[in-house]
Amino acid sequence: MVEHINTISRLPNELCPAFMEWCVRGGHEIKIKKDRVVVRKGLKTGEIFAKRGAIQPSYLMNDYLVERFKLFSLQWLKQGKSFVNDLDNSMMCKFAEVHRQQNLAKVA
């Protein structure tokens, strides 16, 4: 019996923070553009297509990030729910710190 696992080409919105943190920890740089997020490591470039400020249920990824998402998913299956929770919490703490610094800059 051969099992077929469908390739996921769209990043679910609820996994965005965890996946981005996982990429950063893996040595990727992330840049936000007007119509996409660019994820780069060395000569490899990934793209997540999303308009700034527009929340969608999922976002189309290019082939490089589809492959990275497969690795992310395998780690998640091996390590369990705490894997994603820890990544989520780490990214949210970074976001909160950036937001706090922006507010301090407004006051200064």
Side-chain angles (χ1 to χ4, degrees):
M1 184 174 140
V2 176
E3 287 188 41
H4 177 74
I5 299 174
N6 289 333
T7 299
I8 295 176
S9 60
R10 297 186 70 85
L11 176 62
N13 182 55
E14 60 271 12
L15 290 175
C16 285
F19 183 62
M20 292 291 104
E21 177 66 13
W22 182 82
C23 288
V24 167
R25 289 181 183 185
H28 289 81
E29 291 181 13
I30 296 174
K31 294 194 178 173
I32 299 172
K33 305 286 185 175
K34 183 172 59 171
D35 60 346
R36 66 192 183 284
V37 176
V38 177
V39 181
R40 184 172 283 132
K41 181 177 181 181
L43 299 175
K44 303 282 186 177
T45 300
E47 293 179 313
I48 300 169
F49 301 95
K51 290 195 164 84
R52 194 183 293 193
I55 297 173
Q56 299 172 341
S58 64
Y59 306 95
L60 184 64
M61 298 180 285
N62 73 344
D63 290 342
Y64 175 67
L65 285 186
V66 167
E67 291 302 314
R68 302 306 302 163
F69 191 75
K70 282 183 193 176
L71 294 174
F72 170 85
S73 299
L74 288 171
Q75 282 189 328
W76 182 11
L77 287 172
K78 286 180 187 175
Q79 297 181 31
K81 189 176 180 178
S82 64
F83 170 72
V84 170
N85 288 343
D86 291 345
L87 290 167
D88 252 349
N89 290 337
S90 180
M91 182 56 82
M92 291 305 165
C93 287
K94 288 177 181 177
F95 176 77
E97 179 60 21
V98 167
H99 189 66
R100 187 185 72 78
Q101 288 180 4
Q102 286 175 337
N103 286 338
L104 287 175
K106 290 177 186 175
V107 173

